[in-house]
Amino acid sequence: MQLADIPAISHQNLPALTTAQMVEVDRLMMEEFGIQLLQMMENAGRNLADLAQAMLGGEALDRPVLVLAGRGNNGGGGLAAARHLANRGAEVQVVLARPMESFADAPAQQLEALLAMGVSVMDAGDGWELPSADLILDAIIGYGLKGDPRDAAADLIQLANSHPAPILALDAPSGLDAGSGRLYHPSIQADATLTLALPKQGLLAAPQAVGELFLADISVPPILYADLGFDLPPIFAAGPLLRVAP
């Protein structure tokens, strides 16, 4: 798939979620519809891998891709994408913002799968430089950000921004408050962002950090949005990836 093949939808035809609504979507998915976190994470990771491959010109084989991952659910989505890209022949290297032993639950399952596959996974270190890559996937911090990124997460953000490779962020660029659009320090300056389910209000408020905005289907039922007061058609009728146009 090429970038030009991804159908577009105007952001004016989509509601933008608040942070509270994002949390409620996740809760309803699991508690009311039985769609568990690992399933959503897998959908996010596969779509991220698809968009990454499109950004690489449609060919992942032998292309060096660097995945920066935190230990939260956003990081788990990035790890799932790393697995899919490795399966497609990409030369994937994963750098973790937290030590491997601190991962738990669904992100830990994604990490264990990568390790079993022999994918290169390393912890970030002091004075460390990022290896060369054709594309960087930012999955360090998700929409649960509270305040300035710290420690290894902050270091990875700064290193990514100074790297020559383009950056594709998952859900929201790390360091951006997805609810308000506030840019904390440091924050990823993405070339493209793949957000999940529906756009977040903060993404539309900070286009300079988000880059080109894309939307991915993580299998949220339309009836769930109706419960939140949104009357939406099947927005992913054209496919699981959409380009969000002005």
Side-chain angles (χ1 to χ4, degrees):
M1 177 174 60
Q2 303 286 334
L3 283 175
D5 297 328
I6 299 174
I9 186 170
S10 172
H11 78 82
Q12 297 177 359
N13 295 329
L14 296 168
L17 299 181
T18 65
T19 301
Q21 287 169 331
M22 294 180 241
V23 172
E24 185 65 2
V25 167
D26 285 344
R27 186 191 71 79
L28 290 170
M29 284 281 279
M30 292 183 283
E31 295 181 9
E32 300 296 328
F33 295 92
I35 302 170
Q36 298 306 310
L37 180 59
L38 195 60
Q39 294 171 271
M40 292 186 275
M41 194 175 287
E42 188 67 20
N43 288 332
R46 184 182 298 106
N47 282 313
L48 184 62
D50 287 346
L51 182 54
Q53 185 169 339
M55 290 181 68
L56 292 169
E59 181 58 73
L61 184 64
D62 296 329
R63 301 295 297 274
V65 178
L66 188 58
V67 180
L68 311 181
R71 66 178 179 181
N73 297 335
N74 186 264
L79 297 177
R83 189 180 77 253
H84 285 287
L85 287 168
N87 287 342
R88 300 173 192 182
E91 296 177 359
V92 178
Q93 296 184 79
V94 177
V95 183
L96 302 178
R98 295 291 186 95
M100 293 185 196
E101 57 271 18
S102 70
F103 281 63
D105 303 323
Q109 290 180 261
Q110 298 288 359
L111 178 57
E112 288 165 8
L114 280 178
L115 294 171
M117 290 169 59
V119 173
S120 173
V121 180
M122 63 198 87
D123 295 334
D126 291 337
W128 193 70
E129 295 294 329
L130 294 179
S132 62
D134 290 344
L135 181 66
I136 295 174
L137 303 188
D138 162 38
I140 304 170
I141 306 171
Y143 70 71
L145 174 71
K146 295 184 175 117
D148 291 337
R150 301 185 301 275
D151 305 322
D155 293 339
L156 285 177
I157 290 170
Q158 292 174 322
L159 288 169
N161 284 337
S162 63
H163 198 284
I167 301 173
L168 169 58
L170 176 58
D171 209 24
S174 296
L176 170 68
D177 185 317
S180 69
R182 176 179 177 181
L183 288 170
Y184 288 98
H185 180 78
S187 59
I188 286 285
Q189 300 297 300
D191 295 273
T193 297
L194 178 64
T195 198
L196 306 175
L198 282 174
K200 284 71 181 172
Q201 289 185 352
L203 301 180
L204 302 179
Q208 73 279 17
V210 169
E212 192 164 16
L213 183 59
F214 295 85
L215 187 64
D217 180 14
I218 57 168
S219 75
V220 180
I223 192 174
L224 184 152
Y225 292 132
D227 290 344
L228 296 179
F230 300 128
D231 182 16
L232 286 175
I235 59 175
F236 293 105
L241 279 176
L242 299 173
R243 183 194 308 268
V244 180

